[in-house]
Amino acid sequence: MSVASSFTILDAPVSQFPLDLDVRIPKIRELFHLSTSKQWDPRVDIDWEACDPSIYTEEQRYAGRLSWSRRAWTEYAAISESPALQVRFCHEKRAPDMRLYFTIRSQEESRHAESCFRMAERLGGYIEAPKPKAQQSVATHGVRRMALDPSMPLEAIIAALVCTSEEVAFDVFRHLAEITRDPAAKRIHQMITRDEVRHCAFGWRFLDAQMPLLSRAEVKAVEEAVVTMIEKVELNGYHVTWLSPDSEDAREEIAMDRLAWEAGLGATVEELEKPIFIASIRSIRERMRPWGIDLPNFSHPKLGTF
């Protein structure tokens, strides 16, 4: 996603005081307290012994390793998003509820990445990076840079990152939690889904409070950011592997996902995921409509126009 200016908020003078810790957005403060009570530890809250690698073939184990490694790559990206957004929240002296909540969000994304890494290790070893032609789908989507760009409204970033991309991720994880058979893999999906529902709620609660305060130009900037996230990131295969641009490397990932799905190791396939993805985008479109955001129809060779 593009950056409009080379000047960042890091170049601006720091103005920390007066320090406000009062409740400004009660529904987000509620999420902060809920998250602190829902902490979990990947080391002990996942029964790793429940996953018996010996019952899978070597090819199935490799497929599982690739699938879980890919998930770790995307989860790891969120670890760097959260601190950048924290800097933005503090720079703009946004509601303290947001700053408090994102301290927990960072922890949650970290344990998601760790869980995915541990599952890949359990199956024979984490894969450190995608093959070259598959990297274009899982490369960073630019949120860190956007967060530091004062010309990009914060509301646009949250709408694109949380109410769009994380909403897609939540729907995918919920689907995976339902269809995965391996006990450890299923448990990981269940625990991540439990966290992701709060991540999505943060975005919607924040924008429900903020969107009525924006100018028409700012609302348009929010709309453009969401469209870019869908067209350039999600429809490029960031969360849904089979949407990736065609290449030998992408075809291998898609084939391995099918093997991992057949083994019940925590992946899914195009025919199951397609209606979920379309429904997710349609839901986002309808939910944003009352804010004055009119998302267009989107197209993809594997999805048609929707």
Side-chain angles (χ1 to χ4, degrees):
M1 300 178 74
S2 63
V3 179
S5 171
S6 59
F7 179 86
T8 77
I9 61 174
L10 298 179
D11 299 308
V14 177
S15 178
Q16 181 177 350
F17 299 104
L19 188 60
D20 177 12
L21 292 176
D22 285 345
V23 176
R24 302 297 179 190
I25 308 179
K27 289 184 177 180
I28 291 181
R29 185 65 66 102
E30 176 185 312
L31 285 177
F32 165 67
H33 290 300
L34 183 61
S35 293
T36 59
S37 68
K38 298 291 185 180
Q39 298 290 295
W40 55 280
D41 185 341
R43 298 172 303 169
V44 298
D45 291 318
I46 305 295
D47 182 4
W48 298 106
E49 295 300 321
C51 173
D52 180 2
S54 68
I55 68 174
Y56 304 110
T57 67
E58 182 176 352
E59 191 175 31
Q60 288 172 333
R61 289 194 297 272
Y62 174 75
R65 289 173 56 206
L66 182 57
S67 179
W68 282 100
S69 295
R70 191 184 199 278
R71 198 156 298 132
W73 304 331
T74 57
E75 290 295 324
Y76 188 83
I79 299 173
S80 57
E81 294 163 3
S82 292
L85 282 164
Q86 280 282 37
V87 171
R88 180 66 175 265
F89 297 162
C90 293
H91 174 77
E92 295 187 357
K93 294 187 177 179
R94 292 288 181 144
D97 318 283
M98 299 168 64
R99 290 173 255 170
L100 292 174
Y101 176 72
F102 254 63
T103 62
I104 305 299
R105 193 233 195 206
S106 297
Q107 295 178 40
E108 290 173 345
E109 297 294 3
S110 296
R111 66 186 179 224
H112 298 174
E114 181 184 354
S115 298
C116 296
F117 167 80
R118 285 176 175 270
M119 189 66 196
E121 286 284 286
R122 182 75 181 171
L123 293 171
Y126 167 70
I127 298 167
E128 294 184 349
K131 292 183 177 179
K133 291 183 179 179
Q135 287 190 21
Q136 58 186 317
S137 292
V138 294
T140 178
H141 41 47
V143 170
R144 294 190 300 276
R145 290 178 298 165
M146 291 169 62
L148 300 177
D149 178 7
S151 70
M152 176 64 69
L154 178 61
E155 290 78 7
I157 303 170
I158 298 300
L161 171 65
V162 183
C163 297
T164 303
S165 191
E166 288 223 61
E167 193 73 31
V168 170
F170 169 73
D171 289 341
V172 169
F173 275 118
R174 182 171 56 182
H175 162 64
L176 290 169
E178 292 171 352
I179 67 167
T180 299
R181 298 192 303 276
D182 181 271
K186 188 177 189 72
R187 181 63 171 165
I188 295 170
H189 285 140
Q190 290 171 337
M191 299 300 279
I192 291 178
T193 300
R194 193 176 74 175
D195 289 344
E196 290 290 351
V197 72
R198 293 192 298 276
H199 296 183
C200 295
F202 166 85
W204 295 111
R205 292 178 183 188
F206 169 65
L207 289 176
D208 278 338
Q210 289 298 119
M211 290 301 292
L213 308 177
L214 301 189
S215 67
R216 184 56 209 163
E218 290 169 327
V219 171
K220 189 63 178 177
V222 172
E223 181 181 295
E224 290 172 353
V226 171
V227 170
T228 299
M229 180 63 77
I230 293 172
E231 290 182 339
K232 305 301 184 184
V233 179
E234 294 304 331
L235 288 176
N236 196 49
Y238 187 71
H239 283 117
V240 178
T241 309
W242 48 268
L243 290 175
S244 303
D246 185 51
S247 69
E248 183 179 347
D249 294 343
R251 289 194 293 273
E252 181 192 18
E253 286 193 352
I254 294 167
M256 291 301 100
D257 273 351
R258 183 166 292 276
L259 274 176
W261 166 69
E262 290 171 348
L265 276 170
T268 189
V269 289
E270 180 178 343
E271 57 266 32
L272 296 180
E273 199 168 19
K274 182 182 294 186
I276 293 167
F277 182 83
I278 291 175
S280 186
I281 299 301
R282 285 176 173 165
S283 175
I284 292 165
R285 180 186 287 120
E286 291 306 311
R287 193 158 182 185
M288 291 185 175
R289 200 182 301 279
W291 298 336
I293 291 176
D294 185 20
L295 296 181
N297 288 331
F298 298 97
S299 296
H300 187 280
K302 292 186 175 181
L303 295 170
T305 300
F306 60 99

